[in-house]
Amino acid sequence: MQQIELMAPAGNFESLQAALDNGADSVYFGVEQLNMRARATMNFTLDDLPEIAKRCNAKGVRTYLTLNTIIYDHDLSIVKTLLKKAKEVGLTAIIAMDQAVIASARELGLEVHISTQINVTNIETVKFYAMFADTMVLSRELSLRQVKKITEQIEKDQIKGPSGRLVEIEVFGHGALCMAVSGKCYMSLHSYNSSANRGACKQNCRKKYTVIDQETGFEMELDNEYIMSPKDLCTIDFLDQVADAGIKVLKIEGRGRAPEYVAKVIKCYRQALDSLYEGNYDKDKVITWMQELEKVYNRGFWSGYYLGQKLGEWSKIPGSSATQKKVYIGKGAHFFPKSNIGEFIIEAYDISIGDTILVTGPTTGAKEMKVTEMLVNDAKLSTAKKGDSVTIPLDFRIRLSDKLYKIVENKVEA
């Protein structure tokens, strides 16, 4: 079986490090306002690009800068600045949908990947964009049968990109799905003058609505479902079929998600892909991976459009259906390298032996572990409370910027 590239989202350095630590082959990220997550609180700056490239190059991980929003004339100067910086620091490729970005990247000799926003749905479109790009993200609305037909035709017709290699096909494997065709939605623009196609979606489609008959005034709720809010895509339970479709890149959605989300999802899909290569991908492993994926942010899971199943997989609640959540406990205070012990200051709630903790930080990433022993104010105690200093044996280094959380069960209303 051919190797499939596992692409991870990164909205900040915590998530970037989580992706690197858990087996991502590549990462994609945006810079400030010109990406499809412009409203996210987590976004890199132009000055972050050298550090991103440094960390990824050290692990042999490919780097993709997303410049896939609608571009206006007043954006062109910053686009060129970003592209020049990407070239300067040695980023692998640019993910683009606007022809101005594609042309500018090609002029600089930057590899281009076609964004899902272009809606590539057939082989002739692949042939056209092969003049400019080596990798294409197919439209999310295609079935695996349609995807496979495209990958087979690429091989048959020897369709090559500017690099001289056969065009590679990328698909989304996990994460949020949008009601609109591959993200091209205008609801947020019309409602709030905040364009989804400029990365500023207000997600008003995720809310609950009542339908009113204007003639009679009759009101109804649609089966208590969020009719414009699909469940999240999950392919881990039919990843063998996804691989059989001939794809080269599996993309995980979630640049606005927390670092523990990136860590958990990338870890599961890394294990699943490795199991495919090793020939031991099976139902029992899938059950375990699904249980792990359910622990982090999700709106419930379905297979999207890939299997041609009956549609209508809508979320039942406005937010996450995650079975676990994190509770802030405290912050890093000191690390003792000789003994591999980390010291934390407890600022909220308590922590006890047997608890599962999560440590996040720009360099640390997202590390999860169970507390088996600890000292509280230099005494052997089973529980630490607010104001205490606690030391815990660790197999990783902590920093002053790190935050300590406790993982607890999350009760979700059905």
Side-chain angles (χ1 to χ4, degrees), residues 341-346 351 373-377 384 388-392 404:
I341 289 176
E343 179 185 0
F344 299 91
I345 301 301
I346 307 301
I351 184 174
E373 58 178 305
M374 65 181 180
L375 290 179
V376 182
N377 301 324
D388 288 339
S389 168
V390 59
T391 52
I392 304 171
L404 173 67

Side-chain angles (χ1 to χ4, degrees), residues 104-250:
S104 296
R106 294 296 306 136
E107 286 176 8
L108 290 171
L110 280 164
E111 183 177 324
V112 173
H113 292 186
I114 296 300
S115 171
T116 190
Q117 269 73 32
I118 281 186
N119 301 126
V120 176
T121 57
N122 60 73
I123 194 64
E124 293 301 325
T125 304
V126 170
K127 288 180 181 178
F128 175 80
Y129 283 107
M131 293 188 287
F132 315 102
D134 291 291
T135 301
M136 301 182 198
V137 189
L138 295 185
S139 181
R140 301 189 201 197
E141 293 71 42
L142 295 182
S143 67
L144 287 181
R145 182 180 298 178
Q146 291 171 307
V147 172
K148 187 171 185 176
K149 185 175 181 180
I150 288 173
T151 60
E152 288 177 343
Q153 202 66 38
I154 289 172
E155 183 75 35
K156 180 181 178 181
D157 294 348
Q158 290 292 291
I159 303 171
K160 298 178 179 179
S163 68
R165 304 187 307 268
L166 288 178
V167 167
E168 295 185 342
I169 291 302
E170 175 184 323
V171 299
F172 278 87
H174 190 92
L177 280 174
C178 182
M179 183 70 174
V181 175
S182 281
K184 286 192 172 176
C185 178
Y186 297 92
M187 190 173 185
S188 179
L189 178 65
H190 287 311
S191 303
Y192 299 104
N193 195 29
S194 186
S195 175
N197 301 294
R198 295 275 288 174
C201 181
K202 292 284 190 178
Q203 295 201 346
N204 39 325
C205 58
R206 302 293 185 184
K207 298 177 181 179
K208 192 172 187 177
Y209 289 89
T210 301
V211 178
I212 302 175
D213 185 327
Q214 292 293 329
E215 292 184 3
T216 65
F218 178 74
E219 297 184 11
M220 68 176 179
E221 291 183 359
L222 301 177
D223 296 328
N224 293 318
E225 291 182 330
Y226 290 74
I227 193 65
M228 291 182 288
S229 181
K231 289 181 179 179
D232 288 355
L233 173 66
C234 179
T235 63
I236 207 162
D237 57 336
F238 58 98
L239 201 55
D240 51 344
Q241 296 179 61
V242 176
D244 184 60
I247 67 155
K248 296 295 178 67
V249 186
L250 188 73

Side-chain angles (χ1 to χ4, degrees), residues 333-350:
H334 191 71
F335 182 72
F336 302 91
K338 289 184 179 180
S339 53
N340 285 330
I341 289 176
E343 179 185 0
F344 299 91
I345 301 301
I346 307 301
E347 296 184 327
Y349 301 103
D350 62 280

